[in-house]
Amino acid sequence: MSERLRNKTALVTGSTSNIGQAIAEAFAAEGAHVIISGRNRERGAQVVEGIRASGGRADFLAADLDGSAENSQDLADRAREALGGRIDILVNNAGIYPAPATTATDEKTFDEVYGVNVKAPFFLTAAVAPTMTESGGGVIINLGSWIARLGVPLGALYSSTKGAMETLTRAWAAEFGPMGVRVNAVSPGVVLPPAPEGGEPHPGEIMMKGTPAGAVGTPDAIAYAVVWLASDEAAFVHGTVVDVDGGRTGVAVIAA
């Protein structure tokens, strides 16, 4: 790759698997020193090992981002120390997706999902953004979701959290942009790891029929967009949500 993030430091939450892992690996391939964070130490160690084996720089920090301000501040402090005193890029990727019906959602589940998906990135951003401004600037990238704008059955709780993150993206761009911190978001569509040959079609594949892409995306597709937003190539991009969804939300779906 072109080392667009050479000498940059990055914290990617929820990066022990799937989209977060792909983002961390792409950042490292572009020259950044990346903090992998998540709850699973074994998976985190594997991601770090893979990045280092490819010549990249990465470290793992265990973190339970449950929504408490204390846990978010603790991760920010430990990441900053591990990265030599500064965090140039923050990716708020960690999230959970229970999908009960609205009438079947209890208060504990509601609070847990909002804690992980909204409160944790809110307080992590609050902990990281001021030190970014002190260091001369930085980049914050949030992960939204296509179902924040296109309703699906059983998606009320999760999609509302992603709608909140997209709104926070614009608000934070207004709040922190004048201080040198760019804030944007990526809204993934139906994203799945590559499927084995001959397997049964995943429900997500059916949802993408009739779209311009005609197929699901992979975690790498999201990672490429995040790398661009983190790089100087996107220096004039503020408060934007980039749809990486195969055209699912922006184009009429043609029934097969």
Side-chain angles (χ1 to χ4, degrees):
M1 291 195 178
S2 59
E3 292 206 325
R4 285 177 285 178
L5 304 180
R6 183 180 179 85
N7 297 325
K8 298 293 186 181
T9 61
L11 167 59
V12 183
T13 67
S15 47
T16 60
S17 64
N18 205 9
I19 291 174
Q21 177 179 346
I23 293 170
E25 291 172 344
F27 276 9
E30 291 285 354
H33 181 182
V34 185
I35 293 296
I36 312 300
S37 75
R39 298 175 180 175
N40 191 306
R41 293 178 181 271
E42 182 178 352
R43 289 206 311 252
Q46 291 172 350
V47 176
V48 168
E49 181 180 357
I51 289 174
R52 291 178 178 175
S54 299
R57 293 177 296 163
D59 295 285
F60 173 71
L61 292 178
D64 183 6
L65 295 177
D66 59 359
S68 68
E70 294 82 3
N71 282 0
S72 290
Q73 183 68 58
D74 176 65
L75 176 59
D77 292 342
R78 288 186 291 130
R80 193 176 299 112
E81 181 179 0
L83 293 170
R86 75 179 201 276
I87 300 171
D88 297 316
I89 305 162
L90 168 64
V91 180
N92 286 312
N93 169 74
I96 55 175
Y97 187 2
T102 298
T103 53
T105 301
D106 57 33
E107 187 173 6
K108 180 180 178 182
T109 300
F110 184 98
D111 290 344
E112 180 182 13
V113 175
Y114 263 82
V116 174
N117 292 7
V118 182
K119 285 183 67 180
F122 184 95
F123 288 114
L124 186 57
T125 297
V128 169
T131 58
M132 283 182 170
T133 63
E134 293 169 6
S135 299
V139 178
I140 297 172
I141 302 167
N142 300 318
L143 269 291
S145 174
W146 67 285
I147 66 170
R149 274 164 291 141
L150 189 63
V152 299
L154 306 183
L157 179 58
Y158 177 80
S159 65
S160 67
T161 67
K162 290 305 180 179
M165 288 310 298
E166 292 190 7
T167 296
L168 285 171
T169 296
R170 292 182 282 271
W172 285 338
E175 183 175 356
F176 299 122
M179 294 182 278
V181 179
R182 289 193 300 109
V183 186
N184 291 289
V186 169
S187 179
V190 181
V191 173
L192 296 169
E197 293 291 333
E200 289 293 321
H202 187 279
E205 296 174 354
I206 298 171
M207 296 170 104
M208 290 302 291
K209 285 187 175 181
T211 64
V216 300
T218 64
D220 285 344
I222 310 305
Y224 297 146
V226 175
V227 166
W228 173 70
L229 284 174
S231 74
D232 290 342
E233 294 171 2
F236 201 52
V237 182
H238 292 259
T240 294
V241 179
V242 178
D243 293 321
V244 187
D245 63 5
R248 186 64 178 79
T249 58
V251 179
V253 174
I254 306 302

